[in-house]
Amino acid sequence: MSKNTSKKNVALVLSSGGARGLAHIGVIDVLVERGYIINSIAGSSMGAMVGGLYATNNLNKFKDWIVTLDKLAIFKLIDFTFSSQGFIKGEKIFQKMHEMSMIPDINIEDLPIKFTAVATDIIKNQEIIFDSGNLHQAIRASISIPNVFTPIANTESVLVDGGVLNPIPINRVSRTKNDILIAVDLNSLEPYNKPYLPKKEKTKVVHSEKTVKLIKKWDELFSEQHSEKSVKSITKKLKLSYFDILVRSIQLMQSKLSLQTIESYPIDVLINISKDSCSVFEFYKGEEMIAYGREACIKALDKAGL
């Protein structure tokens, strides 16, 4: 990697990776604390979400909210649908964020910093770059995981997750002279080391039978996709669920694409977030993932001497 320490200006690239994208928050927190000025952001999928929230100065509001959510709260924010194009509409979460004034009705070109979101048009077979136009629409298109979130469609195109073609859009970030190029890879193949979290006094919560069933259903559908117990169980049974196959296939594809992209560009700082740190929908792990992002960023900056 090339190294440039003459300026504190940063061009930041935030990759796709579902709930692991909450680690982006910890990364940004550390960069700001160390006095770096983020001049531009390019993001794919969850990277576009977090980058857009930062660009609108609403990332702290989102962080304060997301760390309060447990499995049940996340489950209630999922609007299931019987559509053949995906089983989650994805509108409920955006509606909640709109109610909390997190994603304002603003055009990308009016943001205080350069921002680019990446999506994929599966009709025209091409990458779609959002560097102007409505911010909400750009983010919604970028996070549309194929067969999970219903895509954004019109008469000419069907837009899905930017990670399909460009999970870590290093080639799409705006650069300025002598800036530092920092990229966060949420699909790293390195092992996961859980970050230190202060012990909290646990409050015993008694759930109703219906609530217990909902939480159990969540675990069956979305949780522990990468745990050691899960991997051993799958290996023993040689049987994968539909969701296991879908998620694992997408993540393997994104890991390989990310590695190819990283090898093609002279990045100043690469921040690796293990793909095994959490599964796509484990947004209730907000505190853990933000702490992990902080640790990974500090480690990478220190290694680069920045």
Side-chain angles (χ1 to χ4, degrees):
M1 292 183 190
S2 65
K3 186 173 175 181
N4 190 333
T5 60
S6 61
K7 292 287 183 181
K8 284 272 192 176
N9 294 331
V10 167
L12 183 62
V13 181
L14 304 177
S15 83
S16 60
R20 293 189 300 282
L22 298 177
H24 289 321
I25 300 173
V27 168
I28 290 174
D29 281 349
V30 170
L31 292 176
V32 172
E33 288 168 9
R34 289 199 175 190
Y36 291 98
I37 300 169
I38 301 173
N39 279 339
S40 63
I41 296 177
S44 188
S45 196
M46 194 60 189
M49 169 80 85
V50 173
L53 287 166
Y54 177 77
T56 59
N57 200 32
N58 286 311
L59 188 56
N60 285 334
K61 187 186 295 185
F62 176 76
K63 177 174 69 172
D64 292 343
W65 173 61
I66 202 73
V67 296
T68 68
L69 302 183
D70 57 14
K71 287 183 183 179
L72 183 60
I74 297 294
F75 196 88
K76 288 179 178 179
L77 286 170
I78 297 177
D79 42 2
F80 292 99
T81 176
F82 292 104
S83 169
S84 61
Q85 296 182 323
F87 61 85
I88 298 174
K89 290 181 181 178
E91 302 305 329
K92 204 169 183 180
I93 178 69
F94 276 100
Q95 180 59 37
K96 182 65 177 178
M97 292 175 70
H98 178 72
E99 290 172 3
M100 299 176 71
S101 302
M102 291 185 194
I103 302 180
D105 185 16
I106 189 172
N107 285 336
I108 293 171
E109 59 267 34
D110 295 326
L111 293 171
I113 65 174
K114 292 284 187 179
F115 174 77
T116 302
V118 177
T120 304
D121 187 338
I122 57 174
I123 299 300
K124 297 178 181 177
N125 304 315
Q126 65 184 27
E127 190 178 340
I128 301 299
I129 310 304
F130 290 94
D131 53 12
S132 63
N134 186 268
L135 176 65
H136 173 276
Q137 292 177 6
I139 293 174
R140 177 62 183 85
S142 187
I143 68 163
S144 299
I145 303 172
N147 291 329
V148 179
F149 287 104
T150 53
I152 303 300
N154 55 42
T155 57
E156 298 180 351
S157 61
V158 176
L159 303 183
V160 300
D161 196 299
V164 170
L165 287 180
N166 197 351
I168 184 165
I170 299 169
N171 59 327
R172 302 303 180 187
V173 71
S174 295
R175 303 296 305 275
T176 55
K177 187 177 181 181
N178 295 328
D179 64 7
I180 302 169
L181 177 58
I182 298 178
V184 186
D185 179 18
L186 300 180
N187 301 293
S188 172
L189 297 176
E190 70 173 33
Y192 174 53
N193 295 312
K194 190 173 181 178
Y196 168 76
L197 292 173
K199 288 187 177 180
K200 290 185 178 180
E201 196 173 317
K202 292 185 177 180
T203 303
K204 189 173 181 179
V205 179
V206 180
H207 293 298
S208 67
E209 185 178 346
K210 181 179 179 182
T211 300
V212 170
K213 287 182 178 178
L214 284 174
I215 294 175
K216 184 178 179 181
K217 178 58 67 175
W218 168 278
D219 287 333
E220 290 174 357
L221 287 172
F222 306 128
S223 293
E224 306 302 334
Q225 299 294 325
H226 307 285
S227 70
E228 185 178 349
K229 182 179 177 182
S230 173
V231 171
K232 285 182 178 179
S233 175
I234 289 168
T235 304
K236 185 177 180 180
K237 295 179 181 179
L238 293 177
K239 186 177 180 181
L240 294 171
S241 69
Y242 166 82
F243 195 73
D244 280 326
I245 293 171
L246 177 66
V247 170
R248 289 173 185 274
S249 297
I250 290 173
Q251 290 191 347
L252 179 59
M253 174 193 71
Q254 292 189 341
S255 292
K256 294 300 182 183
L257 284 174
S258 296
L259 185 58
Q260 290 172 4
T261 301
I262 290 164
E263 290 175 346
S264 300
Y265 293 90
I267 307 168
D268 295 302
V269 181
L270 175 63
I271 300 169
N272 287 310
I273 302 297
S274 172
K275 71 176 184 60
D276 295 331
S277 54
C278 79
S279 65
V280 173
F281 287 99
E282 292 182 298
F283 286 94
Y284 59 88
K285 291 187 175 181
E287 188 174 10
E288 178 181 337
M289 292 310 302
I290 292 169
Y292 180 36
R294 288 186 61 90
E295 288 188 5
C297 184
I298 291 170
K299 178 181 176 182
L301 290 175
D302 289 350
K303 183 179 179 181
L306 297 175

